[in-house]
Amino acid sequence: ERQRRERERREFKEAQELESLRRAFKRMDKKGDGKLDVEELQEELDFLKYKVKRQEAELIIWEIDDDADGCVDWEEFRTMFYRIRDDTTGCEPRKLFNVVEFLMHDKNYNGLVDLDECVTLFYQRYGREAVDEKLSELVNSDDNDKNISFAKFVEIQRHAAKRQSGSGLKPGATMVPQVKGMAYVVDPTLSHLL
């Protein structure tokens, strides 16, 4: 009986998430053609008061566009969401995912989401310490507004993810590995090795 209830609860939650994902896709698909293009993405980001250059919007679409048609259809959209949601490496491109996740929580379509919902989501993903540090910086304690903008949503995630993973470098390390005894090699093409 207990297992059945847990399974039903999980299935219900998955169905709710899928429906919320469909609503976010329909909200972004301004033309109603079943595909998201650069203009539609920019229009939604403008509504969220998050300005991006056309080139950046093209890159966001390109990262998800598996069939290279310049648009993101429902299958690509859904696949992107679940792939990134379940990503433990942090290597998946998250820009469109961040927009979608924000829209899924923007229940009344005003470009703001409930701060408490965001904090719960971020705590689960990044841990309390990483989130609280940036949150206290961005949200005034005397501010009675319990909503958060997309720009703040992205900033908190960016900070918490960076803090959680670190820079990936050990203290004192540089990005380019230095090989002792190879200082005499000045040919960047490495043609001396051929």
Side-chain angles (χ1 to χ4, degrees):
E1 177 64 26
R2 183 174 175 219
Q3 287 178 338
R4 183 187 62 77
R5 280 196 311 258
E6 286 178 14
R7 181 178 44 81
E8 286 175 355
R9 195 172 313 141
R10 187 181 63 248
E11 289 171 357
F12 179 73
K13 188 175 178 183
E14 288 170 1
Q16 277 186 315
E17 183 179 63
L18 184 60
E19 183 55 36
S20 186
L21 187 62
R22 275 197 185 100
R23 277 196 306 273
F25 183 80
K26 284 182 179 180
R27 175 176 169 173
M28 293 178 75
D29 183 18
K30 309 285 187 207
K31 298 173 187 170
D33 59 359
K35 294 183 174 190
L36 304 179
D37 59 26
V38 173
E39 290 80 21
E40 290 169 319
L41 175 60
Q42 280 192 293
E43 189 177 331
E44 191 62 44
L45 289 172
D46 286 347
F47 174 77
L48 296 174
K49 296 173 182 57
Y50 195 81
K51 303 288 183 207
V52 296
K53 295 179 182 173
R54 180 174 177 84
Q55 189 176 9
E56 187 175 350
E58 288 172 351
L59 178 64
I60 293 170
I61 294 291
W62 176 82
E63 289 174 334
I64 308 304
D65 183 18
D66 291 335
D67 59 7
D69 64 351
C71 300
V72 175
D73 63 26
W74 167 248
E75 272 309 304
E76 292 167 330
F77 188 83
R78 189 175 59 80
T79 301
M80 170 275 307
F81 179 79
Y82 290 115
R83 185 179 64 224
I84 295 171
R85 183 197 68 183
D86 299 335
D87 175 41
T88 57
T89 66
C91 295
E92 293 287 343
R94 301 187 74 86
K95 291 181 180 179
L96 184 60
F97 177 82
N98 289 340
V99 175
V100 171
E101 189 173 48
F102 185 85
L103 294 179
M104 289 171 70
H105 288 86
D106 183 9
K107 306 268 192 265
N108 55 5
Y109 302 103
N110 66 351
L112 299 168
V113 297
D114 183 62
L115 181 61
D116 293 333
E117 274 187 53
C118 286
V119 169
T120 302
L121 175 75
F122 293 156
Y123 281 172
Q124 290 172 348
R125 188 173 296 153
Y126 303 111
R128 184 180 194 102
E129 190 176 312
V131 173
D132 282 347
E133 183 179 304
K134 194 66 178 179
L135 192 63
S136 63
E137 181 182 316
L138 291 175
V139 179
N140 299 331
S141 59
D142 59 319
D143 192 2
N144 290 335
D145 195 13
K146 293 293 180 192
N147 293 314
I148 190 168
S149 70
F150 180 66
K152 288 181 181 180
F153 181 85
V154 169
E155 183 65 27
I156 293 167
Q157 283 201 84
R158 189 176 295 136
H159 174 79
K162 186 183 240 183
R163 183 135 189 278
Q164 184 183 45
S165 65
S167 69
L169 296 176
K170 294 180 180 173
T174 60
M175 290 303 284
V176 179
Q178 304 296 317
V179 180
K180 291 181 182 177
M182 295 291 285
Y184 63 89
V185 177
V186 292
D187 181 10
T189 64
L190 303 176
S191 61
H192 64 284
L193 296 176
L194 301 174

